[in-house]
Amino acid sequence: MPTSSAATARTAGYAVALATCILSMTGSAQGAGDLVPRIQASAGEITRLMGLLKSNDPATRVAAFKEIIGANNPALADLAIETALASEDRTLQALGLRGGFRQVRSLVAKLDARQGGAASQSVVQACGDAVQYMVEKYSFDSGKFDVRGQDHTGVGQVNGTVVSLTIEYGCSFTGTLQPDGSLLGLVSAPYKKGSLPATATFR
């Protein structure tokens, strides 16, 4: 996947800023002169890692993402997730979503009931027109998580760029990741009472 000169320059700028931030926190007792070589070396390493994340080889991109996420460096992980989500590689986008989901604390789903009719009312009555679920016990490896609402619980799954969840009383939501970071999909009521378009956002 070719990288434009503008994107390369932007990545290099991010690398310097990130390296400066990391080293200023870990080496505050040292003088500025001591930090400059370390910042430059760290920025070079970050640029190299980001280059691997944008490699033309899909296997290299996936391997780079997994290594960066597992390196216990939150700042670098955030940069990798942002890069993955902005990629045109659907596999890398899926990994970005799975990695970014570790930071999700809740998911808010809002139904679109503008089409009206008895079926729409059945879904709203069964599932509500806007609900918030707390996300708990998320596993990066499996993509599975638990959800907890005001008076009910359920389970969820991140699979590729799709997030789905099912509540204990039967309502379910399945949404696909959109460019703006939201999920667009359907909320379905139990007992085949129908479904409505819905948008979910993360918090």
Side-chain angles (χ1 to χ4, degrees), residues 92-180:
L92 204 57
Q93 286 181 13
L95 287 172
L97 175 60
R98 183 167 286 197
F101 211 84
R102 299 187 304 180
Q103 302 172 358
V104 173
R105 296 294 173 262
S106 66
L107 187 150
V108 179
K110 296 183 179 180
L111 278 67
D112 182 357
R114 290 176 294 180
Q115 67 188 51
S120 295
Q121 290 305 311
S122 294
V123 177
V124 172
Q125 288 174 5
C127 304
D129 60 353
V131 288
Q132 179 172 350
Y133 303 104
M134 304 304 294
V135 175
E136 301 174 338
K137 300 179 182 178
Y138 173 68
S139 167
F140 172 79
D141 292 331
S142 68
K144 295 180 179 179
F145 58 94
D146 292 342
V147 291
R148 176 171 52 84
Q150 186 172 358
D151 55 4
H152 48 266
T153 59
V155 294
Q157 173 78 52
V158 179
N159 185 11
T161 56
V162 175
V163 176
S164 59
L165 55 91
T166 302
I167 307 304
E168 60 186 353
Y169 59 77
C171 287
S172 63
F173 169 77
T174 301
T176 302
L177 183 68
Q178 302 299 300
D180 64 359

Side-chain angles (χ1 to χ4, degrees), residues 48-96:
R48 187 183 71 82
L49 290 173
M50 290 301 104
L52 291 173
L53 198 57
K54 297 176 180 179
S55 167
N56 290 325
D57 177 43
T60 299
R61 295 196 295 268
V62 171
F65 182 87
K66 289 184 174 180
E67 288 298 321
I68 293 170
I69 289 294
N72 196 28
N73 185 325
L76 193 56
D78 284 348
L79 183 57
I81 289 168
E82 179 183 340
T83 301
L85 290 173
S87 170
E88 295 181 358
D89 180 346
R90 296 294 287 179
T91 300
L92 204 57
Q93 286 181 13
L95 287 172

